[in-house]
Amino acid sequence: MDIKKELLDILDDPLLDSARPFTKAITADDRIMQKIAEIKGWMAQNGREPQKGGSLKEKLMYASLTTLKEKGLWT
């Protein structure tokens, strides 16, 4: 019995044609980069930094921006 051939036969099964590989988990660094991109996009659209007294979305971005600045991740 050839294990390599047997494994290849299993993997060539038509039932596995629709199987998708696992997606890579989002890391903390990925989330930070997404948040920075979101804030920069908002700033480009509105011409200013998010303020504490705006809409809910603006308040959330303000809080994120404040945290990024405190941690030295925003210049």
Side-chain angles (χ1 to χ4, degrees):
M1 178 183 290
D2 185 13
I3 293 177
K4 286 184 181 180
K5 182 180 181 331
E6 189 174 338
L7 182 59
L8 288 174
D9 288 342
I10 292 170
L11 293 175
D12 284 337
D13 190 320
L15 292 174
L16 295 176
D17 287 346
S18 63
R20 290 176 268 150
F22 291 109
T23 57
K24 181 182 169 192
I26 296 175
T27 65
D29 289 341
D30 293 336
R31 281 190 217 100
I32 291 170
M33 295 306 292
Q34 288 174 347
K35 187 54 71 175
I36 289 171
E38 180 185 1
I39 293 170
K40 285 187 176 192
W42 190 92
M43 289 171 59
Q45 184 178 5
N46 294 284
R48 62 181 173 83
E49 288 186 355
Q51 300 296 312
K52 192 175 189 176
S55 67
L56 177 60
K57 182 175 181 177
E58 185 175 357
K59 288 177 185 176
L60 293 171
M61 277 194 259
Y62 171 80
S64 295
L65 179 59
T66 302
T67 301
L68 289 169
K69 286 180 177 180
E70 288 172 358
K71 293 185 176 187
L73 300 172
W74 187 273
T75 55

